Amino acid sequence: MTVSRRKLLKIATGAAALTGVPGVLKADQGPIVIGEINSYIDELDYYTSSYRRGVLLAVEEVNQQGGVRNREFKVSIQNDYGKADEAVKLAYQLVNEEKVAMLCGSFLSDISLAISTAAKGLGIPFLAGGALTDRLTLDDGNEYTFRMRPSTYMQSHMLAKEAARLPVNKWLCIAPDYEFGYSAVENFKTLLSKSRPDIEWQGDVYVPLFNADVTALSQRLQSGNYDAVFNATFSADLAKVIEAAQGVERFKEVSVVSMLSGEPEYLRELKSRICQGWIVTGYPWEDIALPSHQRFVATYQSRFDESTTMASLNGYLTIKAAARALQVADDLSSAAILKSLNHLYLDSPFGVVRMRALDHQSSFGTFVGRLEYKDGKNRMKHWYYADGSEHWPARKVVERRRPPSA
């Protein structure tokens, strides 16, 4: 397929490694440093380790191309250990002690919200990387916080459009028991119900994050009166949902729409034939023929001797966006960087990505397709690129939910 606009190491904390820094950089002025806070924990190692390598690649490329403002570019990578209070402490440390120009990162939604609040208090820009919670750019949005990745609302919008075409109307929702899960379910229900008033919601199943109970899930799947499932679990919880479903005979006839499950880091959990035909958001990197994307994949594979993932792409784009904002800002004051972020345009492996000033959400999208089971694994097929700008919350939604002062 050809992509078009529509069809398109265990982790240690510390400063990111830099290679190939040109001698023309202004060493007498010192490096420009940003802070990157993330959850480098065992439960997320499949994601954050790959994300960090994307960060490293971006730093190396920026410096090989002359740095930022002719100065060396550095990223101070910090581990919050999956704890919001630790993330906040690190944010203050990075700003007050390391004098970083801006903050980046976060994967877990609750932690991203904590960093966002801290960034506002510190008066410093924060560019979120992997967190999907809508509250980050809507209900709890503020003038200091921006996001690269398509939000929960945006990915729910993409999936609801596909779900509306299915000849089913009794839906069960399964999601992790924390901010992202609640947001995913609420958005999917609202958006699907708008186009399909005949939908009957058969209940919500919220599983403890990284601790789903297979027996309880199996019992719930056995007893429910449903013909379709919306799933927002990921990582080990996704594997347990599949394990539970395999013991439920009727599940083979159920339609499934699953957020994130087509991303390489999650596809590794999907080794069951029961996933055949699932509608998912994801990243079919092997089949994307766009030259700019192929160059990114080749560079990443050459540098790290592994396949790229959505996490590595996300880490790469987040740091590239941060470097670009610093480069084009009038100066390195927070006010100038915020202005730059509000009007940011960035070349990405999928074309130009821009930031919407209305809600500080980028136009970076994702891929939507169906899973196909073959040779003991599932891959995305019949996919298309869903441009983020086509799935942004409408202006009236933003104005209703986002604080006026933001």
Side-chain angles (χ1 to χ4, degrees), residues 106-406:
S106 79
F107 173 80
L108 295 173
S109 291
D110 57 333
I111 293 178
S112 72
L113 291 168
I115 298 175
S116 175
T117 300
K120 181 178 180 180
L122 288 161
I124 190 167
F126 168 48
L127 179 60
L132 298 178
T133 174
D134 296 319
R135 286 171 53 192
L136 197 64
T137 50
L138 295 178
D139 311 87
D140 295 343
N142 61 59
E143 64 270 39
Y144 293 93
T145 300
F146 300 77
R147 180 190 10 233
M148 283 300 297
R149 199 173 185 198
S151 67
T152 308
Y153 179 98
M154 294 162 70
Q155 297 203 43
S156 295
H157 189 264
M158 298 168 189
L159 291 172
K161 287 176 67 175
E162 298 299 324
R165 300 186 178 101
L166 297 173
V168 292
N169 73 334
K170 292 181 174 141
W171 286 81
L172 177 70
C173 297
I174 305 174
D177 187 13
Y178 87 118
E179 165 57 29
F180 161 70
Y182 309 138
S183 181
V185 169
E186 180 182 0
N187 281 317
F188 184 77
K189 283 182 171 182
T190 299
L191 292 164
L192 181 54
S193 293
K194 280 184 179 180
S195 57
R196 287 282 304 275
D198 63 314
I199 294 297
E200 298 176 15
W201 300 104
Q202 302 300 309
D204 308 327
V205 180
Y206 289 104
V207 303
L209 185 62
F210 305 135
N211 197 29
D213 186 318
V214 174
T215 301
L217 276 168
S218 181
Q219 291 173 347
R220 183 66 179 84
L221 293 176
Q222 288 276 13
S223 61
N225 177 28
Y226 61 93
D227 50 21
V229 167
F230 169 68
N231 170 70
T233 63
F234 56 90
S235 186
D237 294 333
L238 175 59
K240 290 180 179 178
V241 168
I242 294 170
E243 182 181 349
Q246 288 183 126
V248 180
E249 185 64 27
R250 61 186 292 246
F251 200 89
K252 296 175 183 178
E253 307 302 321
V254 168
S255 297
V256 177
V257 172
S258 193
M259 190 176 291
L260 311 179
S261 300
E263 296 177 3
E265 46 268 58
Y266 302 119
L267 277 177
R268 66 180 195 160
E269 306 286 354
L270 307 186
K271 299 178 181 178
S272 171
R273 189 182 298 275
I274 205 168
C275 302
Q276 170 74 28
W278 284 21
I279 298 172
V280 298
T281 55
Y283 174 37
W285 67 270
E286 293 174 282
D287 300 324
I288 302 170
L290 197 65
S292 55
H293 177 260
Q294 291 179 327
R295 286 193 295 273
F296 164 72
V297 170
T299 302
Y300 184 87
Q301 290 179 328
S302 174
R303 175 66 177 84
F304 299 109
D305 193 29
E306 68 174 22
S307 300
T308 185
T309 64
M310 179 58 84
S312 57
L313 174 63
N314 196 37
Y316 176 83
L317 281 180
T318 300
I319 300 306
K320 283 282 193 169
R324 180 63 181 166
L326 295 170
Q327 178 67 34
V328 302
D330 292 339
D331 54 54
L332 291 179
S333 66
S334 286
I337 298 169
L338 289 173
K339 181 179 177 182
S340 175
L341 282 166
N342 266 298
H343 303 285
L344 185 69
Y345 282 79
L346 174 72
D347 287 328
S348 83
F350 305 125
V352 176
V353 171
R354 62 189 174 95
M355 189 69 69
R356 184 166 72 160
L358 177 67
D359 55 357
H360 296 183
Q361 174 66 54
S362 93
S363 65
F364 180 50
T366 192
F367 295 81
V368 180
R370 286 184 178 265
L371 294 183
E372 181 179 279
Y373 180 82
K374 186 177 181 181
D375 299 328
K377 61 182 180 180
N378 287 278
R379 288 182 59 181
M380 281 186 73
K381 294 292 183 180
H382 312 297
W383 50 262
Y384 62 89
Y385 180 67
D387 189 293
S389 66
E390 298 176 7
H391 300 277
W392 276 332
R395 174 176 287 272
K396 62 181 180 181
V397 173
V398 177
E399 292 175 345
R400 185 179 72 247
R401 295 182 57 179
R402 187 174 169 91
S405 60

